[in-house]
Amino acid sequence: MREARVAAARVAAVHVHNVCTALRRAHLEPRIVTGVGTGTAEIDAASRVYTELQTGSYVFMDVDYLRVEGIEMGYIPSLFVDTTVVSTQWGDHVTTDAGTKAFALNGPPPMPATGEQGWIYSYEGDEFGRITLAPSSRRPTRGERLSLIVSHCDPTVVLYPRYACVRGNYVEGYWPIAARQSSGAP
């Protein structure tokens, strides 16, 4: 998969380079050459064709990008949805209060931010999620809060009115999410 991404990025860089060369010949100097993405940033930066990299997802990361083979820029997840365990009555799973209303649905399932082994999250409706437990995994308790790395950051962000900015165990502030703010129009 990485080899295919490298090859495609190199083909695109050659095309962009050729377009920029043609523009320069026509005395139209491109001041900003922008493109690429989080998944190809290290490849595209090395091409030296681009003057700006559009790597927006790197600031959050998500399960989707964490599964991309060969992203070597050292990105770490920073966008989480907290959920509470609301039921522990079943032997093989626990139920949480974060369902399809809490996460984007166009990516892999969310995963525990703590690196818990043997936990597999799945949706159990609008309001609830399920964490299926491997026999040897730690069993969370009822009322326990769990942080999950979001499945796909962009469409998850717009589900919420603001970010809670957390450092360690402290909320340092709240930032509004502009896409969710009212424009004032009727």
Side-chain angles (χ1 to χ4, degrees):
M1 180 161 170
R2 177 170 168 74
E3 293 80 22
R5 204 168 65 257
V6 168
R10 287 184 177 154
V11 167
V14 167
H15 178 71
V16 170
H17 172 76
N18 291 342
V19 168
C20 290
T21 299
L23 287 169
R24 287 184 188 102
R25 284 187 191 133
H27 305 288
L28 299 169
E29 181 68 31
R31 293 180 309 175
I32 299 172
V33 180
T34 188
V36 315
T38 300
T40 59
E42 80 274 5
I43 301 161
D44 294 316
S47 76
R48 306 185 62 72
V49 171
Y50 303 95
T51 61
E52 176 183 81
L53 305 179
Q54 293 184 15
T55 55
S57 296
Y58 84 94
V59 73
F60 292 133
M61 292 310 289
D62 55 33
V63 176
D64 208 17
Y65 268 118
L66 290 173
R67 292 183 174 182
V68 173
E69 177 189 0
I71 292 184
E72 299 169 4
M73 300 284 288
Y75 304 133
I76 57 173
S78 66
L79 183 65
F80 311 99
V81 169
D82 282 359
T83 183
T84 301
V85 176
V86 295
S87 174
T88 59
Q89 68 181 357
W90 307 103
D92 67 339
H93 72 275
V94 298
T95 303
T96 72
D97 65 356
T100 60
K101 289 182 181 180
F103 298 100
L105 302 177
N106 63 338
M111 58 189 265
T114 57
E116 293 281 354
Q117 298 298 308
W119 289 12
I120 300 172
Y121 177 90
S122 59
Y123 302 105
E124 289 296 311
D126 297 343
E127 306 294 340
F128 300 103
R130 170 191 285 207
I131 298 178
T132 302
L133 306 166
S136 60
S137 64
R138 182 182 77 78
R139 183 176 186 77
T141 59
R142 190 167 62 83
E144 184 175 346
R145 285 183 66 140
L146 308 173
S147 286
L148 300 175
I149 302 169
V150 302
S151 53
H152 188 179
C153 60
D154 305 23
T156 297
V157 164
V158 299
L159 298 175
Y160 295 90
R162 65 180 185 243
Y163 300 106
C165 303
V166 177
R167 186 184 315 259
N169 292 325
Y170 300 98
V171 175
E172 293 201 356
Y174 295 95
W175 296 348
I177 296 173
R180 293 287 300 214
Q181 304 306 307
S182 172
S183 66

